[in-house]
Amino acid sequence: MPIALLALAVGAFGIGTTEFVAMGILPDVAAYYGVSIPTAGYIISGYALGVVLGAPLLAAVGARVDRKHLLIALMGLFTLGNLASALAPGFGFLLVSRFLSALPHGTFFGVGAVVAASLVPATRRAQAVSLMIAGLTVANIVGVPLATLAAQHLGWRSTYWIVTVIGVITLVALAGLVPRQRPSADASVRSELAALGRGQVWLALLVGAVGFGGMFASYSYISPMMTEIAGFAPTAVTLVLAVYGVGMTVGNLVGGWAADRALMPTMYAGLAGIAVVLVLLHLLAPYGAIAVVMVFLLGFAGSVLVPSLQMRLMDAAADAPSLAAALNHSALNFANAMGAWLGGLVIAAGYGYTAPNLLGAGLAMIGLVLALASGLLERRTRGGGGVPEGGSAGTAPRDVRTGGPAH
């Protein structure tokens, strides 16, 4: 694989670290600024809002910018946002800086996915994308625990100083390793936004928002599930989350390999896997060691889905791949917020800490139905002699750099 993928993976590692470490430092942030923990939680929801809004906006605005330069600009904004977070004099300032840090999140992954796919033969595109995303999954195993440890010994601001350093390293790597990549001559804000008029694009986004929301309905409440139901001590939860991160990393790599061979079946398998694992986790959560195995499989199944979903969106909007790939991360962050909200509702209704698993299984099955509908629609379009909306099925693979056939 090209070494340029390393620069993209390092950036993904930094983004994953800053996104997920917030959960571990909320009590410290709340105590420092004298606010409640729920109020401190706004730095999480504010970040998610920044991802949702920033992905389509920055991807469309950057449609005509050289992709290497766009990646550098996005990482520069991300780094400055984290530096501002490290220096935040007040809670309001911290909220704004977290929102600004999140704006380039989705677009970096979207543009990075397009660049990664362009660096390898068409038959290895999903694997290249999965290697970039691996930086995000590894952040859950290494970055978040280390940053949390630093916060415990050096204060919560140290987490954002660490991410700022990672951002600077990424900037150097992007400048030195990623080749320049001009967008197609007819690229524009209008052409990027035109992709939103395609049904297959919306179906793929719904699959991510609903199907992946099933996983987040459970994962958001893994901590109380493991302590109250599985019987683990609170200190063991970090290890359980690391097991989940390992599952994510392995699933992401397997998902990239499988998607290059059978994209839609891989998507179906990922969604079905999430549903099955969540039902099993609901039933087996009281059995500690088995529950941990289920947590690993949940991370695995969820991450198998991501590369296929990313490639599906890029194929469905072959002439606007950056926007489509960026919107995938808006959809996944919406899934995060929706899944956590719905999971909280069933817990508040008195159904217990394992109830979100059944809710999540239902959401994953709805996502599977949407994915099957997308595949059926594509097959009917092929059978009718037409070209699917994205122009990708029934044709030669497209070169995401030019919009023409890949060689």
Side-chain angles (χ1 to χ4, degrees):
M1 285 290 182
I3 194 172
L5 293 176
L6 177 62
L8 299 174
V10 172
F13 178 83
I15 290 173
T17 299
T18 201
E19 179 180 17
F20 294 112
V21 78
M23 290 74 164
I25 63 172
L26 280 187
D28 301 306
V29 171
Y32 184 87
Y33 290 114
V35 299
S36 67
I37 289 181
T39 298
Y42 291 159
I43 67 173
I44 298 175
S45 54
Y47 188 93
L49 179 62
V51 176
V52 172
L53 296 179
L57 176 64
L58 295 181
V61 170
R64 296 185 60 85
V65 179
D66 181 290
R67 290 188 179 118
K68 173 178 181 174
H69 295 160
L70 181 56
L71 285 170
I72 291 173
L74 292 168
M75 185 49 57
L77 177 58
F78 172 80
T79 303
L80 287 174
N82 280 280
L83 176 61
S85 298
L87 298 171
F91 184 69
F93 191 97
L94 180 63
L95 278 179
V96 173
S97 67
R98 298 316 298 145
F99 176 80
L100 292 176
S101 300
L103 288 175
H105 176 130
T107 310
F108 183 88
F109 278 105
V111 176
V114 174
V115 171
S118 73
L119 296 174
V120 298
T123 55
R124 302 182 71 185
R125 295 187 308 153
Q127 291 179 74
V129 171
S130 71
L131 285 176
M132 179 194 72
I133 297 174
L136 180 66
T137 61
V138 171
N140 284 276
I141 305 172
V142 179
V144 172
L146 289 180
T148 303
L149 185 64
Q152 293 170 353
H153 292 85
L154 303 174
W156 65 266
R157 293 182 186 272
S158 65
T159 62
Y160 296 121
W161 282 112
I162 290 171
V163 176
T164 299
V165 172
I166 296 172
V168 171
I169 293 171
T170 304
L171 286 169
V172 174
L174 290 172
L177 300 178
V178 175
R180 292 191 61 179
Q181 194 177 100
R182 298 183 184 278
S184 60
D186 57 350
S188 66
V189 173
R190 179 175 295 181
S191 67
E192 290 281 321
L193 294 178
L196 298 181
R198 297 173 186 161
Q200 288 286 22
V201 171
W202 283 105
L203 275 173
L205 289 172
L206 281 172
V207 169
V210 178
F212 215 67
M215 191 202 71
F216 279 117
S218 172
Y219 178 67
S220 299
Y221 302 98
I222 281 290
S223 181
M225 194 188 314
M226 290 298 105
T227 55
E228 301 297 326
I229 307 299
F232 287 103
T235 53
V237 172
T238 300
L239 293 177
V240 174
L241 295 180
V243 168
Y244 175 84
V246 173
M248 286 181 64
T249 302
V250 176
N252 173 62
L253 297 176
V254 171
W257 175 86
D260 277 329
R261 285 150 181 79
L263 192 150
M264 293 305 291
T266 301
M267 187 182 300
Y268 304 151
L271 290 162
I274 292 172
V276 170
V277 171
L278 285 175
V279 171
L280 291 174
L281 181 57
H282 173 75
L283 297 173
L284 301 174
Y287 306 97
I290 300 177
V292 174
V293 174
M294 292 300 105
V295 169
F296 171 87
L297 292 176
L298 180 61
F300 178 89
S303 290
V304 163
L305 174 64
V306 175
S308 61
L309 192 58
Q310 188 83 77
M311 297 311 302
R312 179 62 174 168
L313 275 165
M314 290 166 63
D315 285 345
D319 53 348
S322 296
L323 176 61
L327 282 172
N328 186 37
H329 293 274
S330 289
L332 296 183
N333 272 269
F334 177 81
N336 189 344
M338 179 192 68
W341 176 62
L342 292 175
L345 287 182
V346 297
I347 291 174
Y351 292 105
Y353 287 120
T354 62
N357 296 323
L358 293 181
L359 170 71
L363 290 174
M365 290 305 298
I366 295 173
L368 177 58
V369 170
L370 291 169
L372 290 168
S374 176
L376 179 61
L377 176 62
E378 180 171 300
R379 285 195 295 272
R380 285 182 175 177
T381 306
R382 286 183 183 180
V387 178
E389 294 180 28
S392 60
T395 65
R398 301 180 68 88
D399 188 328
V400 293
R401 291 169 290 187
T402 65
H407 300 288

